[in-house]
Amino acid sequence: MTVTTDVKLAVAALASGRLCAIPTETVYGLAASAHDATAVARVFRAKSRPLDHPLIVHVASLDQVSNWITDLPEWAQTLAAQVWPGPLTLVGNRTKLASDAITGGQETVAVRIPSHLVAQQVLQELAEQGILGLVAPSANRFGHVSPTSANHVEVDLGQYLEAHGDLILDGGVCEVGLESTIVLATKDQPVILRLGAITAQDIEQVTGKSVLHTVDGVPRVSGALESHYAPRADVILVTDVSQVLSANSGLLALSQISTPVGVHRLAAPNSVEDFAHELYSALRTGDDLNLKTIYVVPPLGTGLAQAITDRLERAAF
Ligand code: TXA
Ligand code: MG
């Protein structure tokens, strides 16, 4: 059996070099011991992920960050203390423990402390056994929509995981629903590499620093490829439903926007937070229904709305 709710089983699997998909507050991650080069290599194979797309190391608590990152600027320490555990990833200068297999040969490493209680339990129990971090990319096929439930993981990777004796730890539906905000923390100023639930405004407020969005020579972020987070159906962004054609199509929009006749309503979230929470699941439902086109009216505004629109533009590309 691949899917379990037994944390001990998951911990034992990870400690013995097997893979285990774990729930986090953002999306499910396909985890492996960050100390085990063979297991890390299998994470890439399971996802069909190119080897030069670096992985995030997940740790249990703040005191473990220095195992992976040599030094963080003061603003990043303030941000970490305020936001972690939570949907934030910091990219810092790597220690020797952060191998080339994890960083894709780069001198920086991405680290995050997830807040999901099940992820916390797994990471803490492993730390007690001397395993100080888990690599965990989103547990989807490379380029596909990230998984926000154990079932999504099973659909994408179940066959591979089953065949190799790997596991999926079911911790329910992910609360945030969008991948973590990634912030480069090697300079005097924060640079956002991927938008997420922790917004530029949050970061400016906490650190007192103004935030940059791009910088020359910044390492690749795979979610920054133009086409990513994509379902099979064509995704078309519209500003109002008069642009929606009913032939074999679906609609994702805030609840106050009504559904044209003959169109399948994929989700009707009540808020921007709900929109993020239901986004990936709605895109996957569109594929389950074999829809040709998924129309989306993205939420307006900055912050989380902007992060949602960013993912949708890549899904639509
Ligand atoms: O919310 C999340 O971050 C989820 C959960 C499972 O924690 N994980 C996730 O992992 O989204 P993944 O691998 O799908 O996306 C991580 C991104 C990749 O786009 C990767 O390129 C970028 O982080 N990344 C990793 N290390 C990096 C580094 N040293 N410099 C720049 N980007 C890096
Ligand atoms: Mg991903």
Side-chain angles (χ1 to χ4, degrees):
M1 199 196 56
T2 308
V3 183
T4 181
T5 55
D6 186 343
V7 169
K8 297 263 180 240
L9 213 58
V11 167
L14 287 161
S16 71
R18 281 187 286 152
L19 312 186
C20 180
I22 59 166
T24 83
E25 71 279 18
T26 57
V27 300
Y28 274 72
L30 181 61
S33 164
H35 302 274
D36 185 334
T38 312
V40 172
R42 282 224 292 120
V43 167
F44 284 90
R45 279 209 293 284
K47 286 190 51 129
S48 304
R49 178 177 173 115
L51 292 171
D52 60 353
H53 287 285
L55 303 175
I56 299 174
V57 178
H58 296 64
V59 301
S61 52
L62 273 176
D63 56 309
Q64 288 182 18
V65 174
S66 61
N67 290 312
W68 303 97
I69 293 179
T70 54
D71 56 307
L72 282 175
E74 218 168 286
W75 64 260
Q77 292 179 34
T78 308
L79 183 63
Q82 181 79 28
V83 175
W84 276 341
L88 170 76
T89 295
L90 291 179
V91 174
N93 295 314
R94 68 168 167 176
T95 63
K96 286 209 177 71
L97 206 50
S99 63
D100 285 345
I102 297 171
T103 72
Q106 300 183 62
E107 290 309 316
T108 55
V109 64
V111 173
R112 140 169 154 78
I113 306 178
S115 65
H116 195 293
L117 289 179
V118 172
Q120 275 285 323
Q121 252 180 308
V122 170
L123 288 165
Q124 270 160 25
E125 291 195 20
L126 284 167
E128 284 161 21
Q129 302 180 30
I131 295 172
L132 303 176
L134 290 175
V135 295
S138 54
N140 51 277
R141 277 183 291 106
F142 184 69
H144 195 215
V145 180
S146 292
T148 55
S149 71
N151 179 252
H152 293 166
V153 180
E154 214 179 347
V155 169
D156 269 31
L157 305 177
Q159 218 174 356
Y160 178 95
L161 299 178
E162 178 94 55
H164 292 80
D166 301 321
L167 292 178
I168 299 171
L169 180 57
D170 188 346
V173 172
C174 303
E175 196 183 327
V176 176
L178 218 57
E179 304 80 357
S180 61
T181 305
I182 302 182
V183 176
L184 181 67
T186 57
K187 299 172 193 291
D188 187 43
Q189 241 180 315
V191 183
I192 294 188
L193 303 180
R194 182 173 72 186
L195 299 173
I198 304 299
T199 65
Q201 203 187 5
D202 296 334
I203 297 167
E204 285 179 352
Q205 220 159 53
V206 172
T207 65
K209 297 264 180 187
S210 58
V211 171
L212 303 174
H213 282 269
T214 51
V215 78
D216 286 344
V218 152
R220 277 168 309 275
V221 176
S222 67
L225 295 176
E226 275 164 336
S227 172
H228 215 83
Y229 311 105
R232 263 197 330 275
D234 296 328
V235 174
I236 298 182
L237 306 191
V238 294
T239 50
D240 89 75
V241 288
S242 67
Q243 298 163 267
V244 171
L245 305 174
S246 65
N248 196 22
S249 70
L251 175 67
L252 166 58
L254 285 164
S255 58
Q256 63 263 33
I257 296 169
S258 58
T259 318
V261 178
V263 172
H264 194 101
R265 189 62 178 251
L266 295 169
N270 284 315
S271 64
V272 176
E273 285 73 23
D274 277 352
F275 205 117
H277 177 73
E278 293 180 40
L279 172 65
Y280 290 147
S281 166
L283 296 179
R284 283 173 178 266
T285 302
D287 278 352
D288 293 343
L289 295 168
N290 273 315
L291 298 181
K292 183 166 184 320
T293 315
I294 298 173
Y295 291 94
V296 187
V297 186
L300 298 175
T302 55
L304 186 58
Q306 218 178 331
I308 292 168
T309 303
D310 166 76
R311 299 304 195 282
L312 283 167
E313 281 170 350
R314 296 178 204 286
F317 189 80

